[in-house]
Amino acid sequence: MKLTHLQQLEAEAIHIMREVVAQFERPALLFSGGKDSICLVKLAEKAFWPAKIPFPLVHIDTGHNFPEAIAYRDELVARTGATLIIGHVEDSIARGTAVEEKGPNPSRNTLQTVTLLETIEKYKFDACFGGARRDEEKARAKERFFSHRDEFGQWDPKNQRPELWNLYNGKKAVGEHFRVFPISNWTEMDVWQYIASENIPIPSIYFTHQREIVERDGQLLANSPFITVMPGEKVETRTVRFRTVGDMTCTGAIASEASTMDEIIQEVATLRVTERGTRADDKRSEAAMEDRKKAGYF
């Protein structure tokens, strides 16, 4: 029987997950509460059923999260029985290893890198699953499935290993680790269609809702205690939804009436701006994402 497009992508991702568990001693799954990491959890359940997911979920908590994403995280952990490990950016700030940004909407997105690397070192993880996809952003398009990180957690885009015939090289030195991206070949549309086909619950912020919004530099930011409303700006209640989940200080909403999965899929099919186009942190420079990834970002 010929597999459908989604079945082929699913089979590829499951194969990669099983390869990681076979090759590495202490893998983990980086969980943000966003749709991509939610798909990874579903794939992990399928890959190792009827056993429980054989590695922990690791959430790097910035303290600037959407409450809906945190509530979903806790519900998913309770439902799946997965082990949850939380790294707090607040702890890194208290230790002095990370320094809080200043300004009207100080993002902790970059600070996550410090906390992530500290968490990886604390628990000695040697492979970390991530939900990055090549269609998201030009820096992520350079990734292999198995992305080598040196002893400092840094990524060198020129030091990527060949991946021929579905063979993956996980050889590493002491202190090094890998980031592994099982859904690299998926698109945003693939993710939504997979969520729909598997009937996977998702956080409510992905659907249309009323929210207080501050428009800043072309971004529709959620009003929250983490941003300062500047002179000339105003807080308005609008009908919006979010295409991606991140810090409230840098994740922009879009005007949308999409209240069902089918409506989201129809909307995504017509959009001409990538989902990362709603992220203010990616607009800080032309190479913002690549610079963060080289330093050890997700």
Side-chain angles (χ1 to χ4, degrees):
M1 182 180 67
K2 185 176 181 179
L3 297 180
T4 67
H5 174 64
L6 284 180
Q7 287 172 333
Q8 290 176 10
L9 291 173
E10 180 190 69
E12 178 181 63
I14 287 174
H15 168 67
I16 290 167
M17 286 189 155
R18 289 172 175 167
E19 277 291 307
V20 168
V21 171
Q23 290 194 41
F24 296 92
E25 295 181 3
R26 297 183 65 84
L29 191 154
L30 304 180
F31 185 79
S32 67
K35 62 186 183 303
D36 301 309
S37 60
I38 290 170
C39 281
L40 288 183
V41 173
K42 182 64 175 181
L43 290 163
E45 286 186 293
K46 284 194 166 191
F48 305 104
W49 180 264
K52 288 187 177 180
I53 298 173
F55 37 76
L57 310 186
V58 175
H59 179 225
I60 303 303
D61 187 345
T62 65
H64 290 175
N65 304 284
F66 286 92
E68 298 94 328
I70 297 300
Y72 179 92
R73 178 201 69 188
D74 295 341
E75 183 276 329
L76 178 141
V77 168
R79 171 165 47 85
T80 61
T83 299
L84 176 66
I85 292 173
I86 303 175
H88 295 277
V89 171
E90 286 281 3
D91 293 341
S92 298
I93 294 172
R95 285 191 293 267
T97 53
V99 179
E100 187 84 85
E101 287 186 2
K102 307 297 182 183
N105 58 316
S107 173
R108 289 183 174 179
N109 204 51
T110 302
L111 306 190
Q112 290 181 83
T113 299
V114 174
T115 309
L116 173 61
L117 294 178
E118 289 175 343
T119 304
I120 291 172
E121 173 61 25
K122 178 179 179 179
Y123 292 95
K124 306 301 179 185
F125 295 130
D126 52 4
C128 295
F129 292 107
R133 308 185 323 269
R134 294 190 182 111
D135 76 319
E136 288 182 276
E137 203 273 343
K138 59 188 179 182
R140 286 181 165 169
K142 298 177 182 179
E143 291 277 19
R144 299 288 198 268
F145 286 112
F146 277 39
S147 180
H148 175 264
R149 303 300 170 106
D150 66 18
E151 65 272 26
F152 302 106
Q154 297 177 332
W155 172 67
D156 181 359
K158 297 179 180 179
N159 185 27
Q160 297 288 293
R161 298 173 181 179
E163 293 180 338
L164 305 175
W165 307 295
N166 295 325
L167 298 175
Y168 306 107
N169 182 357
K171 185 176 181 180
K172 62 177 183 59
V174 175
E176 299 176 345
H177 72 278
F178 278 80
R179 307 288 172 83
V180 182
F181 305 108
I183 62 172
S184 290
N185 286 337
W186 298 37
T187 65
E188 181 184 10
M189 179 63 79
D190 294 327
V191 169
W192 283 119
Q193 289 179 333
Y194 188 74
I195 289 171
S197 68
E198 296 292 325
N199 197 27
I200 303 172
I202 58 174
S204 60
I205 63 172
Y206 280 117
F207 297 103
T208 185
H209 59 282
Q210 296 284 304
R211 187 177 289 269
E212 288 189 347
I213 292 295
V214 177
E215 186 168 353
R216 176 173 296 167
D217 299 327
Q219 300 285 313
L220 303 181
L221 298 177
N223 185 35
S224 73
F226 314 123
I227 67 172
T228 301
V229 179
M230 303 298 289
E233 296 179 337
K234 59 181 179 178
V235 177
E236 299 177 299
T237 299
R238 297 197 192 181
T239 302
V240 299
R241 74 175 189 87
F242 293 86
R243 293 175 69 189
T244 181
V245 171
D247 263 13
M248 294 185 75
T249 58
C250 63
T251 304
I254 61 170
S256 175
E257 299 286 345
S259 60
T260 67
M261 193 63 64
D262 286 343
E263 288 174 349
I264 289 176
I265 290 172
Q266 291 173 12
E267 183 179 82
V268 169
T270 63
L271 292 171
R272 292 295 176 264
V273 176
T274 69
E275 64 204 282
R276 297 293 306 190
T278 64
R279 294 289 291 267
D281 50 322
D282 287 354
K283 298 179 183 296
R284 293 190 172 190
S285 75
E286 280 292 318
M289 174 63 79
E290 183 155 335
D291 290 342
R292 294 202 304 274
K293 285 182 68 64
K294 287 180 178 177
Y297 185 72
F298 294 90

